[in-house]
Amino acid sequence: MRLTFVASFMIASLCAWGPAGAAEVKVLTAGAFKPIVLAVAADFEKQSGHKLVIDNDTAGGLLRRITGGEAFDLAVLTPAAVKELVEAGRIAAGTPRNLARTSVGVAVKDGAPRPDIATVATFKATLLAAGKVAYIDPAAGGSSGIYFAKLLETMGIADAVKAKAVLVPGGLVAQRLVTGEADLAIHQISEILAVKGATLVGPLPAEIQNYTTYTGGVAAASTQPEAAKAFLAFLGSDAAKRILAEKGMESAPN
């Protein structure tokens, strides 16, 4: 695995500590970035000797948990949430870095006809024709759910879609397609691709697309700050960037 110089240096330094220097690093990640963390976790643990304890929630959910005092070492959230936590003294200033961004897509169950979402007009017609539409409950704090709810208002079809909405409190929205609870799902593309049995129809039309950036930061009160910094650097490595592409994300500029 080829890593960036910074990531390689930090991993090598940590490995030199040996077993006695092994740490347990608690990572809190917004749901859409969880597949990336899980995909690189084993390699990081093998090379560093550290163990990752990974937990996920919506960005809003994690913000509430961290603000409420939950202990952690590294968090991956939206830039606005990270900024708020830096100002609150919960994430160490100078540690945040942008890691990736993902866009919103539309999915159906495997084998179902793919609806036309090529334009704003056809996407609107698809929403109105759908039996049940699944998306993240905006009240749960998920970025795609909050954006989609506002988009429905802008498109003038909020009431019509809410009447047949399957609101998901968190997790993989496209699973509602597999279980038969919905016949259309709107979610981050990276999370749609993580669901076996769901088919990505495509991204939202460019005119109404929304990108969510994910930013990592080390806890100001982390008991394992060097290990947390090493994993944050690892998430910016060339190997991690290749996984981003496989999972429907792209690198985000800093």
Side-chain angles (χ1 to χ4, degrees), residues 96-182:
R97 62 178 293 174
N98 292 336
L99 298 170
R101 72 174 192 170
T102 186
S103 54
V104 178
V106 180
V108 295
K109 186 176 182 178
D110 282 357
R114 297 191 182 196
D116 185 357
I117 61 168
T119 68
V120 175
T122 57
F123 174 58
K124 180 177 180 178
T126 290
L127 290 173
L128 292 174
K132 291 289 185 179
V133 181
Y135 56 98
I136 289 288
D137 186 347
S143 56
S144 67
I146 293 171
Y147 173 73
F148 185 59
K150 292 179 180 177
L151 178 62
L152 293 175
E153 295 283 355
T154 301
M155 297 173 71
I157 57 173
D159 290 341
V161 175
K162 285 179 183 177
K164 54 188 176 182
V166 177
L167 298 178
V168 183
L172 301 172
V173 171
Q175 286 181 336
R176 299 306 198 276
L177 301 171
V178 181
T179 61
E181 297 171 70

Side-chain angles (χ1 to χ4, degrees), residues 32-133:
F33 200 76
K34 181 184 178 182
I36 312 302
V37 174
L38 293 177
V40 303
D43 283 337
F44 175 78
E45 290 178 338
K46 181 178 179 180
Q47 295 185 43
S48 69
H50 299 313
K51 177 176 175 54
L52 301 176
V53 178
I54 302 165
D55 193 8
N56 75 290
D57 202 337
T58 63
L62 289 179
L63 179 59
R64 289 190 289 271
R65 287 164 57 179
I66 293 172
T67 301
E70 182 168 339
F72 69 102
D73 296 298
L74 176 69
V76 181
L77 298 156
T78 58
V82 169
K83 182 176 183 293
E84 183 174 335
L85 291 170
V86 169
E87 293 173 348
R90 298 289 286 141
I91 286 181
T95 65
R97 62 178 293 174
N98 292 336
L99 298 170
R101 72 174 192 170
T102 186
S103 54
V104 178
V106 180
V108 295
K109 186 176 182 178
D110 282 357
R114 297 191 182 196
D116 185 357
I117 61 168
T119 68
V120 175
T122 57
F123 174 58
K124 180 177 180 178
T126 290
L127 290 173
L128 292 174
K132 291 289 185 179
V133 181

